Amino acid sequence: MEGQGTDSASVVPLANWRNDFSKMFQYYLDRSTPHPLQRWLGTLAVAMVYVLRVYSVQGFYVISYGLGIYVLNLLIGFLSPKEDPELEVLDGASLPMKGSDEFKPFIRRLPEFRFWYSITKAFIVAFVLTFFSMLDVPVFWPILLCYWGVLFVLTMKRQILHMIKYKYVPFTVGKQRYTGKKSAGSSDSRRD
C-alpha cells in the first residue's frame, strides 16, 4: 500500500512540469505567429544544422529520403485548395469560372502556420534520429536522390496542371490595386 502512494506523488510533479512546459511552449508558438519571415529563417537554420549533421557523418540517407517524401507531402497539402474542385463537380458546386459566378477565396488544405510547424518538427525529429546508429542503413544515396527528384517533378507537374485546369493560384502578393481606365482623349493625342 505504501508503494502506491509514492508512485502517485512522483507523477504529480511530472504532470505539473509537463503542463507548465506545454503552456510555455504554446505561449511562444502563439507569439511567433505574426512573424513568418523569422519563423522560416529559424526553420532554414534547423534544416542547415540537419544537412551539416548528415554531411558530417556521411550517412542516414534513408532518413533524409523519408524526410524529403514527408516535406513533399506537406507541400502538396500547402498548394492544394481545401475543397478540391474535382470533387465539387460531382456535388454541383465548383470554383467560379465566369465573372458572374460567386467569388470564393483560395483556402489552403494545409495553412501556412501548420505547414511551417510540421516542417520544423520533421527536421528536428530527423536530426534526433541521426544519433541512433541502428537507423543508418547503408544505401546507394544517388539512387534515392534520383528517385526523389523524379517523384518531385511528376508530383509538381500534376499539381500545376490541376492549378491550370481549375484556374486557381495558391499565392497572393499584397493587395490588388486597380488603376482605372485610361481616357481615349489623353494628352498624347492632342490635335493642333
Side-chain angles (χ1 to χ4, degrees):
M1 296 245 186
E2 293 175 23
Q4 292 175 355
T6 58
D7 287 341
S8 64
S10 64
V11 171
V12 172
L14 183 62
N16 287 340
W17 178 83
R18 182 177 169 202
N19 189 26
D20 292 343
F21 177 77
S22 176
K23 285 180 182 179
M24 183 181 67
F25 181 74
Q26 189 62 45
Y27 171 76
Y28 285 111
L29 204 58
D30 291 343
R31 288 204 46 183
S32 73
T33 302
H35 307 288
L37 180 64
Q38 291 84 354
R39 285 189 283 119
W40 282 104
L41 287 175
T43 299
L44 183 63
V46 169
M48 287 291 111
V49 168
Y50 172 75
V51 167
L52 287 173
R53 169 76 179 150
V54 170
Y55 180 74
S56 68
V57 298
Q58 295 291 313
F60 297 99
Y61 301 120
V62 172
I63 291 175
S64 298
Y65 177 73
L67 176 66
I69 295 295
Y70 182 69
V71 169
L72 181 61
N73 186 27
L74 290 174
L75 182 63
I76 293 301
F78 180 70
L79 295 176
S80 299
K82 186 174 185 178
E83 297 173 8
D84 192 2
E86 287 180 346
L87 299 177
E88 287 182 359
V89 170
L90 301 174
D91 296 339
S94 64
L95 288 174
M97 297 296 183
K98 300 179 237 166
S100 62
D101 289 346
E102 180 183 350
F103 171 72
K104 290 183 179 180
F106 181 80
I107 300 172
R108 299 178 191 285
R109 186 171 32 157
L110 182 65
E112 184 270 337
F113 184 80
R114 285 185 42 209
F115 179 56
W116 164 80
Y117 185 61
S118 298
I119 284 181
T120 306
K121 278 194 315 185
F123 273 106
I124 291 170
V125 167
F127 178 75
V128 169
L129 291 177
T130 61
F131 290 99
F132 298 99
S133 61
M134 66 184 165
L135 298 175
D136 188 12
V137 179
V139 293
F140 187 60
W141 66 267
I143 296 295
L144 288 179
L145 184 62
C146 289
Y147 182 67
W148 185 85
V150 167
L151 191 63
F152 178 80
V153 168
L154 292 176
T155 305
M156 284 297 110
K157 179 184 173 188
R158 184 180 56 93
Q159 188 66 32
I160 290 169
L161 290 174
H162 190 269
M163 289 179 198
I164 291 169
K165 181 179 179 181
Y166 292 102
K167 299 177 183 166
Y168 67 90
V169 178
F171 302 106
T172 57
V173 182
K175 185 176 177 180
Q176 188 174 10
R177 301 195 187 267
Y178 298 99
T179 57
K181 294 182 180 180
K182 291 186 178 183
S183 62
S186 64
S187 61
D188 294 341
S189 61
R190 285 190 228 163
R191 296 182 191 187
D192 291 328

